Amino acid sequence: MVARPLIGVSTYLESGARWGVWELDAALLPVGYPRLVQRAGGLAAMLPPDDPAHAAAAVARLDGLVIAGGPDVEPVRYGAEPHPRTGPPARARDAWELALIDAALAAGVPVLGICRGMQLLNVALGGTLVQHLDGHAEVVGVFGSHTVKPVPGSLYAGVVPEAASVPTYHHQAVDRLGAGLVASAYAEDGTVEAIELPSASWVLGVQWHPEMGDDLRVMRGLVRAAGG
């Protein structure tokens, strides 16, 4: 039997999570992420926030890396003051995931950033974010959908060549692109919906949430690259 690529997925770290009779601090990951990795042919491993000094050692054991969605990136990370609509910082997660991204890029490990993960990939490479925009998270706690259109010739277009409706929930977006990154998909309102790093083997960020839909192609692209 061919070994499945090991795909690490970053997680939340939350206080007071409740399940059964318990209310405890917990490392959390919505089940859509590991299920998407599994359905795409990979093995999923959770990567809760840790000392950033251990990121390179963690990445060295992985075949691919997913930076999951979650809270807003702290604006100080890209030299900005907080907008009134920007959420509270998740500093331990920011530090850990930035270290994971840096380690993966240095080691040539394939990377997929999802929502916050795409934004953090941009910040890791010196880019900035729009701290609030309307129309991409219309109902609190409910995923919406809109159409994204790929840029011809991009890595993303090679995975999903047609305009596609995607599950979406975000209020921030890429502003200035980080060093070496290019936009590879847009929403109808011009919001950057995917970014990639052409100089790397396989590095892609998507602003939407593929784990909330049935389209496996983006995750299959990562898993195939990880298995190569």
Side-chain angles (χ1 to χ4, degrees):
M1 181 180 293
V2 177
R4 290 186 161 208
L6 181 63
I7 309 298
V9 188
S10 64
T11 80
Y12 293 78
L13 191 63
E14 298 290 338
S15 60
R18 298 187 65 180
W19 69 100
V21 299
W22 304 106
E23 183 172 347
L24 297 168
D25 294 352
L28 295 177
L29 184 65
V31 73
Y33 289 99
R35 282 180 177 166
L36 186 64
V37 170
Q38 293 158 0
R39 291 170 65 202
L43 291 173
M46 292 175 63
L47 300 173
D50 200 341
D51 185 333
H54 301 320
V59 167
R61 301 184 183 190
L62 301 174
D63 300 306
L65 174 66
V66 175
I67 303 297
D72 295 338
V73 179
E74 188 174 15
V76 70
R77 295 285 182 177
Y78 49 96
E81 294 293 325
H83 184 281
R85 299 285 293 275
T86 296
R91 295 188 177 105
R93 188 169 172 190
D94 283 354
W96 173 240
E97 290 179 342
L98 284 166
L100 288 174
I101 291 169
D102 288 344
L105 294 180
V109 171
V111 177
L112 172 61
I114 293 177
C115 197
R116 163 192 162 87
M118 167 176 146
Q119 296 165 7
L120 203 61
L121 172 63
N122 190 55
V123 170
L125 291 169
T128 62
L129 303 179
V130 176
Q131 291 192 50
H132 182 73
L133 77 168
D134 293 314
H136 291 250
E138 297 182 3
V139 180
V140 175
V142 177
F143 285 90
S145 64
H146 63 239
T147 299
V148 300
K149 185 176 181 180
V151 173
S154 64
L155 169 66
Y156 173 66
V159 176
V160 182
E162 79 282 1
S165 180
V166 298
T168 184
Y169 189 84
H170 65 101
H171 82 113
Q172 298 195 335
V174 164
D175 186 11
R176 188 186 72 244
L177 286 166
L181 291 167
V182 298
S184 50
Y186 292 91
E188 292 176 344
D189 65 1
T191 300
V192 175
E193 289 282 337
I195 59 175
E196 57 193 59
L197 189 63
S199 62
S201 55
W202 205 99
V203 175
L204 177 67
V206 298
Q207 186 56 72
W208 63 93
H209 286 268
E211 81 282 1
M212 296 304 299
D214 295 321
D215 192 335
L216 304 181
R217 289 178 290 179
V218 167
M219 188 61 76
R220 277 181 175 158
L222 173 73
V223 170
R224 286 171 181 159

